[in-house]
Amino acid sequence: MLDIFKVDIDSRVPKYQQIVDSVINGITNGYLSIDQKIPSINEISKEFYLSRDTVEKAYNILKDQKIIISVKGKGYYIAKTFLLDKKNILFLINKPSSYKIRIFNSFVKKMGADAHVDLSIYHCDIQLFINILNKQKDLYDYFVIMPHFKSEDLYHLSSNEQVIAAIDTIPREKLVILDNNFLEITGSLREVYQDFENDIFDALVSGRGRLKKYKKIILVYPMKAIYPYPKRILRGFKKFCVHYGFDFEVLDEIYPGMELIPMDAYITIEENDLVSLVKQIRETGFVMGKSIGVISYNDTPLKELLGITVISTDFKKMGEKAASMLLENTFEKTKNPFNILYRSSL
């Protein structure tokens, strides 16, 4: 590890600056990585016959630039490996789904070359989310957060007191909230959100003409899940069915060997339920879109390829809008577009 440090006693470059440059060059050339421990002040001082004050000055400069951090009783560690003069952004998502990644990709593309964006996944786990923020909150210029959490019994939570307290440590000008804005956070915020209850209600109203041919609408909504969904989706579905007089049912999952009844329409949320439903439709000889209607929640390229009708927010626009607010330094609270996209399954 000491090999990366180059100190030339005959150089006119101050010794402390040579130490700073050694660490930066080590990062640039890939010899040092994030969370890697570097030699102590005493080790550098002894190796190069330097005073502790000289080495300490260099390390303080590196700490001020947030390139290294000190951990009490353990030593010094590399805190970041992006050193260019860019907007440094931490993008926090709750799960590694294809549509969350599409939001991330559209955000990164819109931000362009002047931003460095790190992706972190907290798996709807409150404590993991808090740990990530506590560790990283001083290392980034901006934080883009999709707040979806789960309770101990695997129900969906938008937030709790711990989550709010953690988010409150981030200055409002550094914060962007995406997807779910059901938070009790005060102040001027950048938000691009889904209105889960009214989005599904309005989308089904738009598709009411096609849904009229079906005798019953069945929502497959898992109440408990590793990555749970907002209950507002369920409320919006029920509100639509009651308001327009549709017979309806809510299932927890598509069960193996289900008895499919002609002229039922299904709305699935989980990908596994969609796969199981399509497979059973094919096995029973029914025709999807005629005998059995199928709508899926959240669009993906594969659903488009298979001709699955979807009700979905525009993930690309969500990422682009979030990036635009940062690039233009504007503060807005805006609802993301949500539509029904008709394909052959309905």
Side-chain angles (χ1 to χ4, degrees), residues 152-177:
E152 291 184 0
D153 49 2
L154 302 182
Y155 288 104
H156 181 272
L157 290 175
S158 291
S159 69
N160 65 7
E161 291 182 1
Q162 291 175 287
V163 169
I164 297 300
I167 293 177
D168 272 339
T169 64
I170 302 172
R172 293 295 179 264
E173 65 272 14
K174 292 186 174 185
L175 183 63
V176 182
I177 299 294

Side-chain angles (χ1 to χ4, degrees), residues 237-293:
F237 167 75
K238 288 182 176 180
K239 183 169 72 173
F240 165 77
C241 293
V242 171
H243 187 82
Y244 289 99
F246 281 90
D247 188 17
F248 72 93
E249 186 176 357
V250 178
L251 300 180
D252 193 60
E253 63 178 297
I254 294 294
Y255 300 95
M258 280 182 57
E259 181 184 356
L260 299 180
I261 298 175
M263 304 317 296
D264 279 351
Y266 287 83
I267 302 174
T268 63
I269 297 180
E270 288 276 7
E271 305 295 284
N272 289 340
D273 286 320
L274 175 62
V275 171
S276 179
L277 177 61
V278 171
K279 184 179 179 181
Q280 291 189 50
I281 290 173
R282 291 176 176 177
E283 289 174 347
T284 54
F286 289 121
V287 179
M288 185 166 61
K290 293 183 179 180
S291 308
I292 304 288

Side-chain angles (χ1 to χ4, degrees), residues 9 92 121 126 176 218 259 290 326:
I9 60 173
L92 271 163
I121 305 171
I126 291 173
V176 182
I218 299 158
E259 181 184 356
K290 293 183 179 180
L326 292 184

Side-chain angles (χ1 to χ4, degrees), residues 1-2 4-5 32 37-44 59 76:
M1 176 61 71
L2 287 168
I4 69 163
F5 289 88
L32 293 173
K37 188 176 182 180
I38 61 174
S40 68
I41 291 174
N42 285 337
E43 287 175 309
I44 299 294
Y59 274 32
Y76 294 88

